[in-house]
């Protein structure tokens, strides 16, 4: 399994459906194997009309418990017990996974991490943060490097219901503008170029995250580049990006700081479509346990430290987490991570002190052609300020899908015509 597949446990994946009940079996019904937590059961299911069936007695043996002599829907029973169910068509195998049983067998505990979550929650239900950042992008081509530095500020208010944030971004495009200035442009092209550069050089953006409905709304002065009104808000349904994840359950669990439950909800998003699915979940769970589990930490000089390393087909990952303590409280956290292969490297570090003041640094290099670097500092404190998730009365809301369609569906001629009209208006 590639490193990306191992670590991207949060990626959205649909669990393949399997309708299973107890009919009168046809004499010519084909047989299907049943795999329970990675092991093939002695019981086989009958396949008829592209569905798999078992008797009530067999269902009772698979799941444990008493079932009526009449029909038992195995899918209903499995889901009522919190099991995952799927189908491997190549192997003609029904796959049943009891994720809670798997976790219990692995035996990992997460009390140290849970203490930090509890400490963070104790600082207040609503947190206000202010910060500043700086960084840049360097693009090297044929020995020449184009540098694009940027900087900005961010303010946010976050709570259980969601988060609001305002971001000011300043990008230094002077080198790029100077190089483009040597290019010949007609009046329309020059006007359009100047308008885009002005919008990109300094922009203000607002973000609203509605946690209950799993929706993000974004408004930015950058949208004017594409002719959008200043009151335009783009709506992004996060459930489309987190398909398979029960975000409402995860958010409710997060409030309690129960990292064990969050981990299991995350694993439930993995696909159950192969006889290897159970082994993949075990491997993913063990990776999490190796990074966050109690057994991964050592206590020295009042600090818990966990180190994790992996090499997969030449891709190396190192991950170090350090928790600071004050008596029994776990009250600060530092994370460093590095990923490297023959063509790319990425380094990241995040450190939060006992007051949730945070420093972050990030750098990435791609084939010695593109370098990205970023640093941020922020201060945080509990606040009585409410998280205002309401949109302005004059907000014009459009979905991200319709926005992308409009952008890529607009003809160049229409853009040029609009620009020419604006130039004429200015001339008057």
């Amino acid at each position: 399994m590639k490193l990306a597949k191992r670590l991207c446990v949060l990626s959205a994946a649909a669990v393949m459906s399997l309708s299973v009940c107890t009919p009168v079996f046809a004499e010519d019904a084909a047989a299907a194997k049943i795999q329970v937590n990675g092991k093939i059961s002695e019981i086989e299911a009958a396949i008829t009309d592209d569905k798999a069936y078992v008797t009530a007695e067999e269902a009772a043996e698979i799941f444990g418990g008493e079932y009526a002599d009449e029909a038992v829907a195995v899918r209903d029973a499995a889901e009522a017990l919190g099991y995952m169910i799927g189908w491997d068509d190549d192997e003609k195998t029904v796959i049943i996974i009891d994720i809670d049983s798997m976790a219990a067998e692995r035996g990992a505990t997460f009390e140290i991490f849970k203490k930090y979550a509890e400490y963070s929650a104790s600082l207040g239900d609503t947190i206000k943060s202010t910060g500043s950042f700086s960084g840049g992008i360097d693009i090297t081509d044929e020995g020449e490097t184009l540098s694009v530095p940027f900087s900005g500020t961010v303010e946010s208010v976050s709570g259980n219901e969601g988060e609001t944030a305002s971001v000011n971004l300043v990008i230094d495009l002077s080198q790029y503008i100077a190089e483009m200035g040597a290019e010949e442009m007609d009046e329309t092209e020059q006007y359009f170029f100047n308008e885009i550069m002005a919008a990109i050089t300094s922009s203000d953006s607002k973000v609203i995250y509605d946690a209950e409905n799993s929706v993000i709304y974004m408004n930015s002065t950058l949208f004017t580049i594409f002719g959008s009104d200043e009151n335009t808000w783009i709506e992004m349904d996060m459930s489309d990006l987190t398909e398979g994840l029960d975000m409402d359950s995860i958010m409710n669990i997060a409030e309690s700081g129960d990292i064990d439950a969050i981990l299991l909800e995350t694993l439930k998003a993995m696909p159950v479509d192969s006889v290897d699915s159970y082994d993949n979940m075990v491997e993913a769970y063990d990776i999490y346990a190796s990074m966050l589990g109690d057994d991964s930490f050592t206590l020295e000089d009042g600090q818990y430290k966990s180190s994790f390393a992996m090499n997969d087909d030449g891709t190396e990952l190192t991950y170090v987490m350090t928790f600071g303590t004050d008596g029994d409280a776990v009250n600060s956290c530092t994370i460093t991570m590095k990923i490297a292969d023959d063509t790319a490297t990425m380094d990241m570090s995040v450190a939060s002190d006992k007051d949730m003041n945070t420093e972050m640094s990030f750098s990435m290099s791609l084939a010695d052609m593109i370098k990205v670097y970023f640093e941020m500092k922020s201060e945080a404190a509990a606040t009585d300020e409410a998280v205002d998730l309401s949109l302005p009365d004059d907000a014009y809301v459009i979905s991200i899908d319709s926005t992308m369609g409009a952008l890529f569906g607009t003809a160049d001629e229409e853009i040029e015509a609009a620009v020419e009209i604006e130039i004429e208006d200015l001339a008057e």
Side-chain angles (χ1 to χ4, degrees):
M1 182 190 296
K2 297 295 184 182
L3 178 63
K5 184 177 180 181
R6 284 178 168 167
L7 298 181
C8 289
V9 180
L10 292 174
S11 61
V15 178
M16 297 185 67
S17 62
L18 175 66
S19 182
V20 188
C21 56
T22 310
V24 177
F25 296 145
E27 293 182 358
D28 59 350
K33 293 175 287 186
I34 299 176
Q35 183 197 71
V36 181
N37 276 15
K39 297 180 180 179
I40 296 297
S41 170
E42 294 181 357
I43 297 172
E44 289 191 338
I47 299 293
T48 183
D49 296 329
D50 295 325
K51 295 182 180 180
Y53 305 95
V54 294
T55 66
E57 292 79 6
E58 291 170 334
E61 184 174 342
I62 292 171
F63 296 110
E66 297 181 359
Y67 290 81
D69 292 336
E70 295 84 10
V72 173
V74 177
R75 168 170 286 283
D76 292 342
E79 293 180 347
L81 293 169
Y83 295 173
M84 302 170 69
I85 189 166
W87 171 254
D88 186 327
D89 193 57
D90 291 337
E91 298 294 330
K92 296 295 183 285
T93 301
V94 178
I95 308 157
I96 299 171
I97 298 177
D98 179 359
I99 199 76
D100 295 316
S101 174
M102 181 273 287
E105 290 179 2
R106 307 311 292 172
T109 57
F110 302 87
E111 295 304 314
I112 296 172
F113 194 96
K114 189 181 297 184
K115 283 186 177 182
Y116 179 66
E118 292 171 350
Y119 176 81
S120 299
S122 72
L123 296 179
D125 293 332
T126 306
I127 302 295
K128 184 171 185 176
S129 299
T130 58
S132 60
F133 59 87
S134 62
I137 302 174
D138 294 341
I139 303 174
T140 301
D141 183 29
E142 296 181 353
E144 295 186 2
T145 300
L146 171 65
S147 295
V148 182
F150 60 83
S151 62
T153 59
V154 58
E155 294 185 0
S156 67
V157 179
S158 60
N160 296 330
E161 60 270 49
E163 182 174 10
T164 62
S166 298
V167 181
N168 170 257
L169 175 64
V170 177
I171 302 178
D172 183 355
L173 293 169
S174 56
Q175 183 181 354
Y176 175 74
I177 293 174
E179 291 184 6
M180 289 299 294
E183 301 288 335
E184 292 186 2
M185 300 184 190
D186 60 29
E187 188 179 24
T188 298
E189 292 171 335
Q190 186 67 58
Y191 174 82
F192 196 41
F193 176 77
N194 291 341
E195 289 291 298
I196 292 177
M197 292 301 100
I200 295 178
T201 297
S202 181
S203 63
D204 291 293
S205 302
K206 297 178 182 178
V207 178
I208 297 176
Y209 171 51
D210 183 342
E212 181 179 357
N213 297 303
S214 193
V215 176
I216 289 180
Y217 300 96
M218 182 175 180
N219 168 266
S220 178
T221 55
L222 288 170
F223 297 167
T224 59
I225 295 175
F226 307 105
S228 296
D229 184 86
E230 61 181 6
N231 297 316
T232 298
W233 289 75
I234 292 179
E235 177 186 49
M236 292 174 280
D237 188 343
M238 296 304 291
S239 61
D240 293 339
L241 302 178
T242 57
E243 186 177 357
L245 281 174
D246 187 343
M247 293 305 298
D248 188 50
S249 295
I250 289 179
M251 292 301 296
N252 290 333
I253 294 169
E255 293 179 22
S256 67
D258 191 348
I259 186 65
D260 312 60
I262 293 175
L263 173 55
L264 295 185
E265 286 297 323
T266 300
L267 292 178
K268 288 178 182 178
M270 295 182 66
V272 183
D273 56 7
S274 163
V275 292
D276 296 325
S277 294
Y278 179 78
D279 290 338
N280 293 340
M281 289 187 187
V282 168
E283 186 173 22
Y285 182 90
D286 287 346
I287 288 175
Y288 276 114
S290 297
M291 299 168 72
L292 308 175
D294 294 334
D295 290 343
S296 67
F297 287 94
T298 57
L299 179 61
E300 185 176 346
D301 297 329
Q303 290 187 325
Y304 289 104
K305 186 175 182 179
S306 169
S307 299
F308 175 82
M310 176 186 291
N311 187 315
D312 190 289
D313 293 338
T315 299
E316 296 183 357
L317 165 72
T318 57
Y319 177 96
V320 178
M321 173 178 281
T322 304
F323 286 127
T325 64
D326 182 8
D328 291 335
V330 177
N331 61 359
S332 64
C333 178
T334 300
I335 297 173
T336 60
M337 182 170 69
K338 181 175 182 177
I339 301 176
D341 61 17
D342 293 338
T343 60
T345 61
M346 186 202 77
D347 289 272
M348 183 185 76
S349 68
V350 181
S352 295
D353 65 17
K354 63 182 182 64
D355 297 316
M356 299 300 288
N357 300 317
T358 302
E359 294 187 10
M360 174 183 177
S361 66
F362 172 89
S363 65
M364 180 174 65
S365 176
L366 301 175
D368 294 327
M369 295 178 60
I370 300 176
K371 293 182 179 179
V372 181
Y373 49 96
F374 175 86
E375 291 186 350
M376 179 176 180
K377 292 183 179 181
S378 65
E379 297 181 350
T383 181
D384 294 330
E385 184 177 338
V387 181
D388 185 4
L389 302 180
S390 61
L391 293 172
D393 293 337
D394 56 356
Y396 173 63
V397 181
I398 57 177
S399 70
I400 184 66
D401 292 337
S402 62
T403 301
M404 298 305 292
L407 290 179
F408 291 104
T410 301
D412 292 339
E413 293 81 3
E414 294 177 358
I415 295 177
E416 290 187 8
V419 173
E420 288 175 355
I421 292 173
E422 291 191 39
I423 290 177
E424 291 176 359
D425 291 341
L426 290 174
E428 295 176 357

